[in-house]
Amino acid sequence: VDMVKVRIQIGGAEGGSTNPIEVTKKLLREEGITGMYKGLSAGLTRQVFYTGARLGLYDYFMEAASVPGEKMPFWKTTACALTAGGIAAVIGTPADLSLIRMQADSMLPEAERRNYRGVGHAFSSIIKADGVGGLFKGAVPTATRAMALNFGMLGFNSLAKDQLQAAGVTGAAQTFGASSIAGFFASFFSLPFDYVKTQVQKAKPDPVTGQMPFKGPIDCAMQQVKIGGITRLWTGFPTYYVRIAPHAMITLIAQDQVKKMWTSMGT
């Protein structure tokens, strides 16, 4: 699903199809089933560093910001979610950059392909070409996207839990309902930033002038809005929702169960 999402975002920016069924059929026809899993090593590396950091940091910040006997206000929850998401995204940027490039590589002309063999080869190739700083290309839109995702996912999960509890909903129904609500808001708030991040990270300099197509993430967003209006930033929302919402729900439900397990063990 993530592979199809990236292809939709890139194809849509270049005037191609944004229909997930058509994109999937084309991908399978040209690259086979293995084409759906390009960048898997980078994707797994990203999850270990990024997801682990943002969930762990969020809990740490929430604990530090809490006042005994006082209900956590939403602005504090928001601040914790935004901060944790931004820091975690910077940590995960090298793997995220490698993932986007590996997923988009076959869409480039053959002479311009990077042909990364895995996440390790991607890291070494990027460092060789652009230095260590090259690993953090797109860190700003990546961090912004993660802050928006964390705000929608963790912030609204906490808010939804409180609202459901006030309505008398508890237990598994409360956990599932809150995670479902959080999945939608995580998708809605983060897609524009994810769209811009993809365009920036897959960009290559013009072979004639040597200039990049965008001066930065803001310029990229402005160009996209100028071409297709503000809704262009939500290109591929149904596919993105299918990719983000279940992931958010599973993550939040699993996190809730792990917390209960640690609590029962007295840790």
Side-chain angles (χ1 to χ4, degrees):
V1 176
D2 190 66
M3 183 68 172
V4 174
K5 182 266 295 183
V6 169
R7 291 299 179 92
I8 287 175
Q9 291 178 338
I10 295 174
E14 297 174 351
S17 174
T18 59
N19 184 308
I21 297 176
E22 292 301 319
V23 171
T24 302
K25 287 168 62 177
K26 184 175 185 292
L27 180 61
L28 290 173
R29 184 171 62 250
E30 296 179 353
E31 302 180 41
I33 190 65
T34 56
M36 301 289 286
Y37 294 91
K38 282 190 175 180
L40 179 60
S41 61
L44 293 174
T45 303
R46 175 183 177 275
Q47 289 300 324
V48 169
F49 288 98
Y50 164 64
T51 302
R54 73 188 175 99
L55 295 178
L57 287 171
Y58 176 72
D59 284 344
Y60 175 79
F61 292 147
M62 286 287 284
E63 185 175 342
S66 65
V67 177
E70 180 182 296
K71 182 179 178 181
M72 180 75 75
F74 186 61
W75 72 266
K76 279 191 177 182
T77 302
T78 299
C80 292
L82 292 175
T83 305
I87 295 173
V90 174
I91 295 172
T93 292
D96 191 71
L97 174 64
S98 302
L99 174 63
I100 294 297
R101 289 186 174 181
M102 292 169 76
Q103 290 177 325
D105 206 40
S106 61
M107 298 181 75
L108 296 171
E110 193 166 347
E112 298 179 21
R113 293 177 186 175
R114 298 178 173 96
N115 296 314
Y116 297 150
R117 295 189 296 272
V119 66
H121 182 232
F123 285 173
S124 62
S125 298
I126 293 170
I127 292 173
K128 185 177 180 180
D130 305 314
V132 175
L135 290 171
F136 295 90
K137 182 177 181 181
V140 172
T142 300
T144 308
R145 178 256 190 195
M147 292 169 73
L149 179 67
N150 248 29
F151 169 61
M153 177 177 164
L154 300 178
F156 277 87
N157 181 62
S158 297
L159 180 63
K161 274 188 173 181
D162 290 341
Q163 296 298 318
L164 289 171
Q165 186 175 30
V169 180
T170 59
Q174 180 194 31
T175 301
F176 184 80
S179 64
S180 300
I181 294 169
F184 172 80
F185 282 105
S187 304
F188 180 79
F189 284 120
S190 65
L191 179 53
F193 302 104
D194 187 81
Y195 181 82
V196 170
K197 174 186 74 71
T198 298
Q199 308 308 320
V200 171
Q201 291 185 323
K202 68 92 179 178
K204 296 193 71 173
D206 186 281
V208 178
T209 65
Q211 293 185 333
M212 297 297 289
F214 315 115
K215 296 176 183 177
I218 295 177
D219 179 56
C220 175
M222 296 285 286
Q223 287 191 39
Q224 299 304 319
V225 171
K226 186 176 180 180
I227 294 170
I230 191 67
T231 56
R232 186 179 180 89
L233 299 178
W234 276 271
T235 297
F237 180 78
T239 303
Y240 187 72
Y241 178 76
V242 170
R243 180 253 186 265
I244 291 292
H247 172 75
M249 291 172 65
I250 292 170
T251 300
L252 291 168
I253 291 172
Q255 182 191 37
D256 193 68
Q257 294 303 310
V258 169
K259 285 181 179 179
K260 288 180 180 178
M261 181 184 71
W262 283 115
T263 301
S264 66
M265 293 172 64
T267 56

